[in-house]
PDB file of all heavy atoms in Angstrom:
ATOM      1  N   TYR A  10      18.051   8.127 -26.762  1.00  0.00           N
ATOM      2  CA  TYR A  10      17.218   7.033 -26.317  1.00  0.00           C
ATOM      3  C   TYR A  10      15.745   7.432 -26.297  1.00  0.00           C
ATOM      4  O   TYR A  10      15.389   8.631 -26.253  1.00  0.00           O
ATOM      5  CB  TYR A  10      17.613   6.642 -24.841  1.00  0.00           C
ATOM      6  CG  TYR A  10      19.023   6.024 -24.758  1.00  0.00           C
ATOM      7  CD1 TYR A  10      19.978   6.707 -23.934  1.00  0.00           C
ATOM      8  CD2 TYR A  10      19.343   4.848 -25.359  1.00  0.00           C
ATOM      9  CE1 TYR A  10      21.230   6.124 -23.848  1.00  0.00           C
ATOM     10  CE2 TYR A  10      20.577   4.315 -25.257  1.00  0.00           C
ATOM     11  CZ  TYR A  10      21.523   4.956 -24.497  1.00  0.00           C
ATOM     12  OH  TYR A  10      22.775   4.387 -24.379  1.00  0.00           O
ATOM     13  N   VAL A  11      14.936   6.401 -26.296  1.00  0.00           N
ATOM     14  CA  VAL A  11      13.460   6.619 -26.240  1.00  0.00           C
ATOM     15  C   VAL A  11      12.941   5.809 -25.068  1.00  0.00           C
ATOM     16  O   VAL A  11      13.323   4.641 -24.824  1.00  0.00           O
ATOM     17  CB  VAL A  11      12.785   6.058 -27.540  1.00  0.00           C
ATOM     18  CG1 VAL A  11      11.266   6.068 -27.445  1.00  0.00           C
ATOM     19  CG2 VAL A  11      13.290   6.820 -28.751  1.00  0.00           C
ATOM     20  N   ASP A  12      12.058   6.358 -24.236  1.00  0.00           N
ATOM     21  CA  ASP A  12      11.350   5.626 -23.137  1.00  0.00           C
ATOM     22  C   ASP A  12       9.919   5.515 -23.583  1.00  0.00           C
ATOM     23  O   ASP A  12       9.190   6.487 -23.577  1.00  0.00           O
ATOM     24  CB  ASP A  12      11.454   6.385 -21.852  1.00  0.00           C
ATOM     25  CG  ASP A  12      10.953   5.527 -20.660  1.00  0.00           C
ATOM     26  OD1 ASP A  12      10.093   4.660 -20.941  1.00  0.00           O
ATOM     27  OD2 ASP A  12      11.345   5.767 -19.592  1.00  0.00           O
ATOM     28  N   PRO A  13       9.504   4.328 -24.051  1.00  0.00           N
ATOM     29  CA  PRO A  13       8.200   4.159 -24.657  1.00  0.00           C
ATOM     30  C   PRO A  13       7.116   3.936 -23.677  1.00  0.00           C
ATOM     31  O   PRO A  13       5.943   3.886 -24.037  1.00  0.00           O
ATOM     32  CB  PRO A  13       8.350   2.957 -25.576  1.00  0.00           C
ATOM     33  CG  PRO A  13       9.377   2.106 -24.885  1.00  0.00           C
ATOM     34  CD  PRO A  13      10.334   3.103 -24.253  1.00  0.00           C
ATOM     35  N   HIS A  14       7.443   3.820 -22.367  1.00  0.00           N
ATOM     36  CA  HIS A  14       6.390   3.534 -21.408  1.00  0.00           C
ATOM     37  C   HIS A  14       6.790   4.092 -20.002  1.00  0.00           C
ATOM     38  O   HIS A  14       7.520   3.486 -19.322  1.00  0.00           O
ATOM     39  CB  HIS A  14       6.148   2.000 -21.306  1.00  0.00           C
ATOM     40  CG  HIS A  14       4.873   1.708 -20.527  1.00  0.00           C
ATOM     41  ND1 HIS A  14       3.899   0.892 -21.047  1.00  0.00           N
ATOM     42  CD2 HIS A  14       4.449   2.041 -19.305  1.00  0.00           C
ATOM     43  CE1 HIS A  14       2.924   0.760 -20.126  1.00  0.00           C
ATOM     44  NE2 HIS A  14       3.213   1.496 -19.094  1.00  0.00           N
ATOM     45  N   LEU A  15       6.180   5.192 -19.725  1.00  0.00           N
ATOM     46  CA  LEU A  15       6.448   5.852 -18.477  1.00  0.00           C
ATOM     47  C   LEU A  15       5.125   6.483 -18.023  1.00  0.00           C
ATOM     48  O   LEU A  15       4.278   6.772 -18.817  1.00  0.00           O
ATOM     49  CB  LEU A  15       7.543   6.929 -18.681  1.00  0.00           C
ATOM     50  CG  LEU A  15       8.071   7.712 -17.464  1.00  0.00           C
ATOM     51  CD1 LEU A  15       8.723   6.736 -16.456  1.00  0.00           C
ATOM     52  CD2 LEU A  15       9.050   8.739 -17.903  1.00  0.00           C
ATOM     53  N   HIS A  16       4.998   6.658 -16.689  1.00  0.00           N
ATOM     54  CA  HIS A  16       3.847   7.302 -16.086  1.00  0.00           C
ATOM     55  C   HIS A  16       4.331   8.547 -15.375  1.00  0.00           C
ATOM     56  O   HIS A  16       4.561   8.468 -14.184  1.00  0.00           O
ATOM     57  CB  HIS A  16       3.067   6.348 -15.196  1.00  0.00           C
ATOM     58  CG  HIS A  16       2.513   5.193 -15.799  1.00  0.00           C
ATOM     59  ND1 HIS A  16       1.186   5.116 -16.239  1.00  0.00           N
ATOM     60  CD2 HIS A  16       3.024   3.998 -16.208  1.00  0.00           C
ATOM     61  CE1 HIS A  16       0.899   3.964 -16.811  1.00  0.00           C
ATOM     62  NE2 HIS A  16       2.024   3.294 -16.870  1.00  0.00           N
ATOM     63  N   LEU A  17       4.511   9.643 -16.089  1.00  0.00           N
ATOM     64  CA  LEU A  17       5.020  10.846 -15.493  1.00  0.00           C
ATOM     65  C   LEU A  17       4.117  11.440 -14.404  1.00  0.00           C
ATOM     66  O   LEU A  17       4.604  12.234 -13.544  1.00  0.00           O
ATOM     67  CB  LEU A  17       5.374  11.894 -16.505  1.00  0.00           C
ATOM     68  CG  LEU A  17       6.628  11.633 -17.346  1.00  0.00           C
ATOM     69  CD1 LEU A  17       6.725  12.630 -18.494  1.00  0.00           C
ATOM     70  CD2 LEU A  17       7.883  11.732 -16.430  1.00  0.00           C
ATOM     71  N   ASP A  18       2.860  11.089 -14.376  1.00  0.00           N
ATOM     72  CA  ASP A  18       1.977  11.602 -13.331  1.00  0.00           C
ATOM     73  C   ASP A  18       2.130  10.821 -12.059  1.00  0.00           C
ATOM     74  O   ASP A  18       1.705  11.208 -11.026  1.00  0.00           O
ATOM     75  CB  ASP A  18       0.513  11.623 -13.802  1.00  0.00           C
ATOM     76  CG  ASP A  18      -0.009  10.333 -14.360  1.00  0.00           C
ATOM     77  OD1 ASP A  18       0.815   9.406 -14.711  1.00  0.00           O
ATOM     78  OD2 ASP A  18      -1.254  10.180 -14.474  1.00  0.00           O
ATOM     79  N   TYR A  19       2.831   9.654 -12.147  1.00  0.00           N
ATOM     80  CA  TYR A  19       3.022   8.803 -10.910  1.00  0.00           C
ATOM     81  C   TYR A  19       4.426   8.962 -10.301  1.00  0.00           C
ATOM     82  O   TYR A  19       4.652   8.596  -9.184  1.00  0.00           O
ATOM     83  CB  TYR A  19       2.903   7.318 -11.246  1.00  0.00           C
ATOM     84  CG  TYR A  19       1.630   6.839 -11.844  1.00  0.00           C
ATOM     85  CD1 TYR A  19       0.546   7.662 -12.089  1.00  0.00           C
ATOM     86  CD2 TYR A  19       1.461   5.504 -12.148  1.00  0.00           C
ATOM     87  CE1 TYR A  19      -0.633   7.208 -12.642  1.00  0.00           C
ATOM     88  CE2 TYR A  19       0.267   4.987 -12.678  1.00  0.00           C
ATOM     89  CZ  TYR A  19      -0.765   5.831 -12.940  1.00  0.00           C
ATOM     90  OH  TYR A  19      -1.933   5.405 -13.457  1.00  0.00           O
ATOM     91  N   VAL A  20       5.378   9.508 -11.067  1.00  0.00           N
ATOM     92  CA  VAL A  20       6.799   9.522 -10.603  1.00  0.00           C
ATOM     93  C   VAL A  20       6.917  10.179  -9.291  1.00  0.00           C
ATOM     94  O   VAL A  20       6.370  11.276  -9.073  1.00  0.00           O
ATOM     95  CB  VAL A  20       7.751  10.024 -11.590  1.00  0.00           C
ATOM     96  CG1 VAL A  20       7.809   9.179 -12.897  1.00  0.00           C
ATOM     97  CG2 VAL A  20       7.466  11.460 -11.951  1.00  0.00           C
TER      98      VAL A  20
END
Side-chain angles (χ1 to χ4, degrees):
Y10 293 118
V11 175
D12 187 336
H14 191 126
L15 186 62
H16 295 262
L17 283 171
D18 53 343
Y19 300 1
V20 295

